[in-house]
Amino acid sequence: MKPIIFCDFDGTITNSDNIIAIMKEFAPEGWESIKDDVLSQKVSISEGVGKMFSLLDSGLAQDIIEFVKSSAVIRDGFREFVAFARQNSIPLYVVSGGIDFFIEPLLENILDLDLLYCNKAVFEQERIQIIWPYSCDDQCQNGCGCCKPSIMRKISEADTYKIVIGDSITDFKAAKEADFVLARDFLIEKCREEGISYQPFQTFFDCINILKLKLEAA
Ligand code: MG
Ligand code: ZN
């Protein structure tokens, strides 16, 4: 079995969700009802995220990047985790429903950006537009935006041992298709509810220790 890691970004690699932080800081009133519609699954993730960013002027791009760079915190042990994966020749992909313009500045000194799958922002019109290079394949009708299970299907081969690391409902479909799940926060509850086996983690040092034992056992 060949392990491949698929790791979420917001709330997993960073300590909290950057889209929510950006909206709290920059969006006019009204973004919360869109967020609530996404969480209650009244609208798809892609529709909701597209709508939220369409509240923001394209001219805010640089301010948003600076804001995220100064406020986002990378979870402890992530750099070491990237090194651990490299040393063990385990491909580590970051698969995120976030947007390139704020993820790339945070990851560029840590990870090869070719390993990042996420949505993209365009600043050519008055308001920020989001485009979806990795939308759902024909096996997913979820309107994911960046479709984690579709990316996993594309990258994985028959002998791939799929490891998913995540924190929320947006990782649940990926977790369902994983061979092994490292979970925190809401994803723990969701895995429990649905009987998906998982190991909880707080920092990426935990992830290293857990995966070391897994690899030794294999
Ligand atoms: Mg997340
Ligand atoms: Zn999908």
Side-chain angles (χ1 to χ4, degrees), residues 53-61 64 123 125-128:
F53 278 93
S54 75
L55 299 170
L56 303 175
D57 282 343
S58 289
L60 287 171
I64 295 174
F123 304 101
Q125 299 185 355
E126 193 188 334
R127 303 295 179 86
I128 298 176

Side-chain angles (χ1 to χ4, degrees), residues 8 10-12 167-168 171:
D8 174 49
D10 283 273
T12 299
D167 74 307
S168 81
D171 300 302

Side-chain angles (χ1 to χ4, degrees), residues 123-211:
F123 304 101
E124 284 160 9
Q125 299 185 355
E126 193 188 334
R127 303 295 179 86
I128 298 176
Q129 259 180 298
I130 307 298
I131 55 170
W132 320 97
Y134 309 109
S135 48
C136 303
D137 65 15
D138 58 5
Q139 292 180 62
C140 182
Q141 278 77 41
N142 201 38
C144 299
C146 180
C147 184
K148 300 183 187 202
S150 298
I151 292 166
M152 287 166 68
R153 280 190 281 274
K154 210 169 84 178
I155 293 175
S156 301
E157 288 170 32
D159 60 351
T160 300
Y161 185 78
K162 300 184 279 289
I163 300 164
V164 164
I165 308 178
D167 74 307
S168 81
I169 184 74
T170 54
D171 300 302
F172 179 58
K173 290 214 180 261
K176 258 181 163 170
E177 299 195 13
D179 297 297
F180 186 60
V181 179
L182 285 155
R184 55 177 303 280
D185 205 48
F186 187 64
L187 186 62
I188 290 180
E189 270 172 55
K190 212 48 205 169
C191 285
R192 267 196 203 138
E193 248 174 63
E194 305 279 335
I196 294 172
S197 73
Y198 69 94
Q199 292 250 22
F201 73 97
Q202 293 294 334
T203 72
F204 279 95
F205 293 115
D206 301 335
C207 298
I208 293 172
N209 292 332
I210 293 165
L211 289 183

